[in-house]
Amino acid sequence: MLRPTISSGMASRITSVALLPVLATAYISSSMTPSTFGARRAFHSISRPSALRTASPSVLPLSQRRPIARGAAALRSAYTITEEGKFPSEEYRVFFKEDGKTISPWHDVPTWADKKAGIVNAIIEITKDTRPKMEVATKEESNPIKQDMKKGKLRDYPLDIFWNYGMIPKTWENPKAEHPEMKAFGDDDPVDIVEIGSKPISRGTICQIKAVGTLAMIDEGELDWKVIGVSTEDPKCKDINSVADMEKAFPGQIDAIREWFRNYKSDGKFEGGKWVDITEGQNSFGLGEECKDMAYTAEVIEETSEQYAQLMSGKVDADGLWLKK
């Protein structure tokens, strides 16, 4: 599939990012209203940093939200991101480059940053406390980040997502493979990761996240793993080595993540920090709704990495996915 045509009037802005831990500046959605901002505060009364309670609700373009690259010498290979098109729009894309050459965030970034320590590389698609449903475009050349479309319109979540959200590169959930425990097929996407830490991380950042737990979400009959972890840049990360540690560091947030993903497609409303008036449209969870431990999480990542390898080898039909040749 060819890259979308970008008109001459559209801006192109370049921002430095890195395959390294980052410190990102705050980014709050322009779609926020006073009522949703209040609901979000109520929801996060469980554990909400004061810096975010006072953050400005304005949107900063990526070119003004420059993450700071830091880390070990072995990971000094810097990437850049290039925005094409006006945000928000159907044409808007975030492309990834290395040494001036366009790369794919799905195919060209390693899955693991430190496998022994359980640390993955992650592509941040959606910054916490924002609403536009951004995603790596798996069917477009070079797999840029774009805003999802639904029924011909740009798709927003019905409320802000309260965590940084992205994908783990070189993973794939095979829609033709039934999981033996869940009895559900994959959702045809890379594995999702929820970063539970205290700071917003800018869209397009490639960062390192300690993958601590996993929820087995069933979305419209498809298995959609939700790995939960914390950025290695978060000061609490060094003390988090289990689901219990994560619950202690961020009390109530695992349950909050489960309920957010259970209900965001439902006909319910989010009021006063909780979901109400739900009659239909909820997602479900397998494995007794348990957040599985680090060992199980690593197995999920390895399993979906193997499915990705089968996809890239041609053993599984790509069905329109853009695969780097």
Side-chain angles (χ1 to χ4, degrees):
M1 184 178 292
L2 297 178
R3 181 183 304 172
T5 302
I6 306 297
S7 67
S8 59
M10 296 177 182
S12 178
R13 300 178 294 279
I14 300 179
T15 304
S16 293
V17 298
L19 181 54
L20 301 167
V22 296
L23 296 175
T25 54
Y27 167 63
I28 307 298
S29 172
S30 61
S31 62
M32 181 189 300
T33 63
S35 60
T36 59
F37 185 52
R40 197 183 67 253
R41 282 203 308 268
F43 186 85
H44 264 298
S45 61
I46 300 170
S47 174
R48 184 166 178 78
S50 60
L52 293 184
R53 289 197 296 267
T54 59
S56 169
S58 62
V59 171
L60 295 176
L62 293 182
S63 57
Q64 295 179 25
R65 300 198 307 277
R66 298 185 183 275
I68 302 170
R70 309 194 317 181
L75 291 177
R76 291 189 184 280
S77 178
Y79 294 82
T80 59
I81 53 174
T82 302
E83 292 178 278
E84 295 187 5
K86 182 180 178 181
F87 180 76
S89 71
E90 293 183 30
E91 296 79 15
Y92 177 80
R93 298 291 187 275
V94 178
F95 288 95
F96 292 74
K97 293 187 177 183
E98 181 181 19
D99 298 327
K101 182 180 178 181
T102 299
I103 64 165
S104 163
W106 185 18
H107 303 307
D108 291 319
V109 179
T111 302
W112 293 101
D114 185 341
K115 188 174 181 179
K116 185 176 180 180
I119 297 170
V120 297
N121 292 308
I123 314 301
I124 299 300
E125 300 162 310
I126 306 172
T127 300
K128 69 184 300 180
D129 297 325
T130 66
R131 192 168 299 193
K133 176 66 172 70
M134 311 301 294
E135 62 183 15
V136 167
T138 57
K139 295 185 177 182
E140 292 187 11
E141 182 178 350
S142 300
N143 310 124
I145 293 175
K146 69 171 186 177
Q147 189 166 356
D148 190 23
M149 300 283 293
K150 188 173 183 179
K151 297 181 179 179
K153 296 182 179 180
L154 294 172
R155 183 182 174 193
D156 288 343
Y157 287 127
L159 75 164
D160 294 350
I161 187 168
F162 306 125
W163 310 275
N164 298 301
Y165 189 61
M167 53 81 79
I168 300 175
K170 294 191 175 183
T171 62
W172 181 61
E173 298 182 58
N174 186 353
K176 297 180 176 67
E178 183 179 53
H179 193 278
E181 290 181 84
M182 259 59 70
K183 303 301 180 185
F185 294 84
D187 70 348
D188 200 25
D189 281 321
V191 172
D192 298 323
I193 188 163
V194 182
E195 197 282 319
I196 202 171
S198 56
K199 294 183 179 180
I201 302 176
S202 297
R203 179 175 66 247
T205 297
I206 302 174
C207 63
Q208 285 69 59
I209 296 175
K210 185 181 289 186
V212 181
T214 302
L215 295 172
M217 190 174 87
I218 308 299
D219 182 351
E220 298 180 359
E222 296 178 333
L223 177 58
D224 187 4
W225 294 108
K226 303 297 180 188
V227 171
I228 304 174
V230 59
S231 168
T232 56
E233 280 294 298
D234 194 287
K236 295 181 180 181
C237 181
K238 65 182 185 300
D239 297 320
I240 298 176
N241 296 294
S242 68
V243 171
D245 290 343
M246 188 160 61
E247 176 61 30
K248 181 179 179 181
F250 300 98
Q253 291 303 295
I254 296 173
D255 288 343
I257 290 168
R258 187 188 298 105
E259 292 311 300
W260 196 96
F261 281 103
R262 186 196 308 279
N263 294 307
Y264 81 99
K265 287 186 176 181
S266 75
D267 61 350
K269 296 178 290 184
F270 187 75
E271 295 180 349
K274 63 181 180 180
W275 293 90
V276 297
D277 300 334
I278 299 169
T279 62
E280 61 181 6
Q282 289 182 302
N283 292 319
S284 60
F285 291 86
L287 304 174
E289 303 202 345
E290 178 185 359
C291 184
K292 303 298 284 187
D293 63 15
M294 284 190 75
Y296 192 98
T297 299
E299 290 176 5
V300 167
I301 295 169
E302 285 296 284
E303 178 182 286
T304 54
S305 293
E306 291 172 5
Q307 291 178 351
Y308 170 84
Q310 291 174 349
L311 172 69
M312 297 303 291
S313 69
K315 293 180 180 179
V316 182
D317 192 342
D319 286 337
L321 298 173
W322 186 85
L323 307 181
K324 182 179 179 180
K325 303 301 183 183

